[in-house]
Amino acid sequence: MRQGRAWRRGIASCVGRGEAIAEAIASPLRRAHHPVADLRHHLGLLVRLVGAQVRSQLQYRVSFTMDFVSSFLMFGFEFGALAALFVRFETLGGWTLGEVAFMGGLTAVSFKTMDMLFSGFDPPAFGEHVRKGTFDAILLRPAPLTLQVLGSRFVLMRVGAIAEGVAVFALALWLVDVHWTAAKLAFLPLVVIGQLAFFAALFVIGSTVTFWTVDSIEAMNILTYGGHELNQYPAHIYPLGLRRFFTYVVPTLFLAYYPTLYLLDKPDPTGMPSWVRFVGPVIGLGAFAGAMAIWHIGIRHYRSTGT
Amino acid sequence: MTHHPSAAEAPRTGPVIERPPLAPLIDVRDLAKHFTMRRRPPVRAVDGVTFRVAPGELVGYLGPNGAGKSTTLKMLTGLLVPTSGHITVAGRIPWRERRAHVATIGAVFGQRTSLWWDLPVIESFDLLRYIYRIPAERYRANLDTFRDLLDLDAFLQTPVRSLSLGQRMRADFAAAMLHDPTVLFLDEPTIGLDVVAKERVRRFVRHLNAERGTTVLLTTHDLADVERLCHRVLIIDGGRLLYDGNLAELQRRFGGRRELVIDLAEDVTDIGGDGSANRLDDPRFAVPGADVIARDGPRITYAFDRDATTAADLIARVTQRLRVVDLALKEPDIETTVRRIYEERLLDGA
Ligand SMILES: Nc1ncnc2c1ncn2[C@@H]1O[C@H](COP(=O)(O)OP(=O)(O)OP(=O)(O)O)[C@@H](O)[C@H]1O
Ligand SMILES: [Mg+2]
């Protein structure tokens, strides 16, 4: 009997509210038909998500400043140690201090910028989301998933490391007499983007894997951070096996080493065809596209198995 | 909204005239979710569940641990894709039209938060306002109402990670309702809350249902939630729906018998020849119209049917035979009823 009442109350409330309900149901759909407006809305969301995090992190101004200062000090020590090596040996595989710094700075700026922009896809942080089930919250909000993950974490502290990379690069420009051409100037930002995209791809793949298992995070980290470290020094000084691995399996050498040969007019002791100097950006963007495809497979898997 | 041919079908329970020719807001048919894991047989978490919920209903979804409640709710909210079967909520298939679907529902999973961990509560709300494109005046009106109903003011500026469980839950409730969803899915919304906080949450849910006509489906292990809120309950176990009807009917059909607990003047603990202690069929304590269901030292518990014997008669009979120093009458409560249904699988094959 009471059930009957509930039904009647249901009708009554529906008759009165019919229009409001129809509006509520229809409006998100209708809005979704304006792709440009949608895109603006989504980018606005990203800005807001990141902005909110930046604001909350800036509240801890002291620790933020400390971190910034300490990463600059680290830069001082690391660069000092490297310079000391060069005082002793003068060149590293035929490269001067300035040339090594050129590639190191470029690599650091690309990687650390990626590390900041893609904080949300940092595999351990993302894996924690999945493990704790908070990834569900993202699925419960009417906004694109990738964008929400990007906005879910933003480690502002990384600007210290980015500034460090910029400083190394600036120092390199002062030490090395680069023969700039219009083509080289145009290529330089592509090198940064290519490298950024490639390591972002590794982050995204590492995060996706946590949908299946969190045990593999370490293996993924070795590739990501190992590849990044190796991209700071002229690759021909590495043993052949290592070089092959990072050429054919995880092709990070195309992202910094070969482009730098072009930018600084250095000879190629590895004997690769000369066009490989230009493929870095393509490889980076291709890897990113592939990673996004894998990411969507991962989401599909998650939604069919849960955690 | 799509039209449902199913809406015209005869309802499964209840008198036919009572059902309006209205498309159900939630329509679940033969829903199943099987989890397959390596080197283990598949878990049939949900195994062929069918029910409908009309707009404005407030329904309790009950079942023991592992029954499949959360799995059902995850499919209804679009988090999980069903293995087979059919779901529509407000005419949409949740997993296929995720964004449009989640824009019109609210969900609170008691075990976890949907707020941004590091941000103050009010900033989370503001982000949600943007995400759901809530008109400014609706947002302000809702926020004012919820601040009042859920007493949020004390912690609006606090980061979510520093909130107590009860505060976090209240913040999550407000967050789930800011965009005026037509349906609210609640998975154990009162878990871990103290008595006062539970009551506040219940009041809030009742308010939404009564004032705004929000349809609510909630799971809980606290039957007080159900008693205070729901007319209709669904009971699921082993992934199968065992009961769909009102609570009073459940109590009438399965509500246990009344109990009379007496304390005797002396301890009557005894050990039988076969080693069994405190036999229930000891003839010294037999009383017509009642059964001894427990014995513990001087304390004996009788069970009797309301229809067969009055409490006064039984007390008279017992006190005639035995030297009773104290007695208490226990009415069957819904808690016990449901526990019996789970434990004794009373609904199996029903
Ligand atoms: N992602 C998953 N993978 C494998 N098995 C799962 C998964 N999620 C749930 N299960 C299993 O499905 C069954 C139903 O789980 P579910 O969480 O729906 O139960 P529940 O009714 O919510 O229980 P509780 O009252 O304990 O919350 C359980 O046996 C559980 O172990
Ligand atoms: Mg559950």
Side-chain angles (χ1 to χ4, degrees):
Chain A
M1 302 305 107
R2 274 158 114 193
Q3 204 183 331
R5 258 208 310 280
W7 276 93
R8 268 195 296 278
R9 191 153 46 90
I11 317 169
S13 66
C14 250
V15 170
R17 243 179 310 267
E19 272 173 31
I21 290 176
E23 173 63 23
I25 290 168
S27 54
L29 275 182
R30 204 170 48 235
R31 289 192 193 107
H33 284 302
H34 296 286
V36 177
D38 253 20
L39 187 67
R40 269 189 48 192
H41 188 258
H42 294 152
L43 289 178
L45 173 60
L46 187 58
V47 168
R48 273 153 210 264
L49 286 172
V50 170
Q53 314 227 14
V54 168
R55 269 200 310 285
S56 91
Q57 285 169 38
L58 282 177
Q59 285 180 351
Y60 309 95
R61 199 157 297 153
V62 176
S63 76
F64 183 76
T65 315
M66 292 278 285
D67 208 73
F68 196 84
V69 169
S70 79
S71 65
F72 241 87
L73 287 177
M74 278 301 287
F75 152 67
F77 288 132
E78 280 179 19
F79 195 80
L82 191 65
L85 266 172
F86 276 88
V87 168
R88 181 109 163 66
F89 299 106
E90 283 181 23
T91 66
L92 187 63
W95 287 32
T96 64
L97 171 64
E99 289 165 338
V100 172
F102 183 93
M103 191 169 78
L106 210 55
T107 294
V109 170
S110 317
F111 188 86
K112 298 301 178 187
T113 306
M114 185 290 294
D115 205 5
M116 179 168 75
L117 297 180
F118 286 79
S119 306
F121 278 104
D122 194 5
F126 184 81
E128 191 64 11
H129 255 315
V130 174
R131 207 180 51 75
K132 287 200 313 208
T134 39
F135 183 68
D136 286 350
I138 285 176
L139 284 165
L140 282 173
R141 293 186 205 119
L145 302 175
T146 311
L147 190 131
Q148 289 192 69
V149 176
L150 275 179
S152 69
R153 188 162 174 263
F154 190 87
V155 185
L156 188 62
M157 301 284 198
R158 302 274 190 265
V159 296
I162 297 170
E164 179 187 336
V166 170
V168 172
F169 191 70
L171 211 57
L173 290 180
W174 178 65
L175 289 171
V176 187
D177 190 16
V178 185
H179 301 288
W180 288 108
T181 63
K184 282 184 184 175
L185 279 174
F187 190 55
L188 187 69
L190 293 181
V191 174
V192 174
I193 291 170
Q195 197 165 198
L196 195 156
F198 186 86
F199 285 104
L202 292 189
F203 259 33
V204 170
I205 293 169
S207 286
T208 304
V209 169
T210 63
F211 284 135
W212 280 269
T213 166
V214 284
D215 303 334
S216 53
I217 284 183
E218 280 313 313
M220 209 56 214
N221 277 349
I222 289 170
L223 294 184
T224 309
Y225 294 98
H228 161 60
E229 285 299 322
L230 290 176
N231 267 3
Q232 299 186 315
Y233 303 101
H236 55 269
I237 64 170
Y238 302 137
L240 188 61
L242 192 65
R243 221 164 62 211
R244 285 213 171 120
F245 182 81
F246 283 99
T247 302
Y248 299 110
V249 183
V250 185
T252 54
L253 296 190
F254 295 109
L255 302 165
Y257 175 67
Y258 290 110
T260 304
L261 295 183
Y262 163 67
L263 291 171
L264 299 183
D265 302 299
K266 299 295 289 179
D268 176 12
T270 67
M272 293 287 262
S274 60
W275 55 263
V276 302
R277 297 171 178 211
F278 305 102
V279 297
V282 177
I283 289 181
L285 292 172
F288 189 72
M292 288 319 287
I294 294 173
W295 163 242
H296 283 108
I297 294 172
I299 290 169
R300 193 139 21 104
H301 171 81
Y302 179 81
R303 293 180 74 195
S304 80
T305 60
T307 36
Chain B
M1 233 165 88
T2 46
H3 176 71
H4 289 283
S6 62
E9 282 167 21
R12 292 184 331 115
T13 55
V16 176
I17 14 162
E18 299 264 59
R19 292 292 164 116
L22 194 80
L25 194 62
I26 301 173
D27 189 1
V28 172
R29 265 183 281 148
D30 305 320
L31 183 67
K33 181 74 207 177
H34 299 169
F35 294 108
T36 40
M37 280 169 297
R38 269 167 297 179
R39 275 173 280 134
R40 255 178 287 171
V43 177
R44 294 161 175 268
V46 175
D47 199 19
V49 165
T50 299
F51 63 87
R52 284 184 218 134
V53 178
E57 274 196 279
L58 209 167
V59 179
Y61 197 54
L62 309 181
N65 290 131
K69 304 181 294 294
S70 298
T71 307
T72 311
L73 251 62
K74 282 181 181 175
M75 290 190 281
L76 284 166
T77 49
L79 296 178
L80 275 181
V81 180
T83 307
S84 64
H86 162 101
I87 307 179
T88 52
V89 177
R92 288 201 196 85
I93 299 170
W95 55 273
R96 193 173 291 157
E97 302 159 79
R98 184 188 71 83
R99 258 151 73 185
H101 173 65
V102 296
T104 54
I105 64 161
V108 177
F109 288 85
Q111 318 262 23
R112 49 187 72 150
T113 182
S114 63
L115 299 166
W116 285 267
W117 197 240
D118 292 317
L119 300 184
V121 174
I122 190 74
E123 289 222 32
S124 278
F125 289 175
D126 194 53
L127 285 168
L128 292 171
R129 181 189 61 73
Y130 184 83
I131 291 177
Y132 288 96
R133 310 178 203 225
I134 306 168
E137 69 280 11
R138 276 313 293 158
Y139 176 73
R140 213 162 320 113
N142 277 340
L143 188 58
D144 283 347
T145 312
F146 301 159
R147 271 166 57 182
D148 191 40
L149 276 172
L150 293 166
D151 205 5
L152 302 176
D153 284 338
F155 51 88
L156 272 181
Q157 307 297 336
T158 312
V160 173
R161 67 180 130 75
S162 329
L163 297 181
S164 78
L165 178 65
Q167 293 172 333
R168 203 217 75 209
M169 212 81 119
R170 275 138 67 195
D172 258 307
F173 259 95
M177 287 304 301
L178 281 172
H179 57 292
D180 292 318
T182 46
V183 200
L184 188 57
F185 295 102
L186 306 173
D187 194 2
E188 305 195 33
T190 56
I191 190 170
L193 299 187
D194 69 32
V195 193
V196 180
K198 274 184 179 175
E199 206 42 53
R200 188 178 273 129
V201 163
R202 286 172 195 146
R203 227 176 32 224
F204 183 65
V205 173
R206 208 169 22 223
H207 167 89
L208 295 172
N209 181 251
E211 302 297 315
R212 304 183 176 210
T214 311
T215 307
V216 183
L217 184 68
L218 72 91
T219 82
T220 184
H221 288 294
D222 185 343
L223 288 154
D225 291 345
V226 178
E227 272 186 306
R228 305 273 159 79
L229 294 173
C230 312
H231 298 300
R232 179 178 168 205
V233 294
L234 304 172
I235 298 183
I236 183 177
D237 195 4
R240 306 194 70 95
L241 199 61
L242 303 181
Y243 181 82
D244 177 354
N246 70 46
L247 200 57
E249 166 73 11
L250 189 76
Q251 180 73 325
R252 204 179 54 69
R253 264 172 66 192
F254 301 106
R257 308 156 79 193
R258 304 171 85 187
E259 289 174 12
L260 179 70
V261 184
I262 59 164
D263 285 343
L264 297 174
E266 74 246 58
D267 192 334
V268 288
T269 304
D270 50 28
I271 309 289
D274 54 356
S276 64
N278 289 334
R279 284 173 45 211
L280 297 181
D281 57 359
D282 189 321
R284 284 178 294 164
F285 309 116
V287 174
D291 301 315
V292 177
I293 56 165
R295 278 184 57 195
D296 180 18
R299 175 162 294 182
I300 299 176
T301 307
Y302 292 97
F304 63 104
D305 293 323
R306 186 184 306 273
D307 307 336
T309 317
T310 67
D313 275 348
L314 183 64
I315 291 168
R317 270 176 242 154
V318 169
T319 46
Q320 219 172 19
R321 272 154 232 242
L322 303 163
R323 275 193 356 149
V324 176
V325 292
D326 198 3
L327 58 78
L329 195 60
K330 283 206 314 208
E331 294 297 332
D333 57 358
I334 187 74
E335 191 96 30
T336 322
T337 308
V338 172
R339 179 154 31 89
R340 281 185 51 220
I341 289 171
Y342 294 169
E343 282 173 357
E344 300 168 27
R345 317 186 73 88
L346 292 179
L347 287 165
D348 270 9

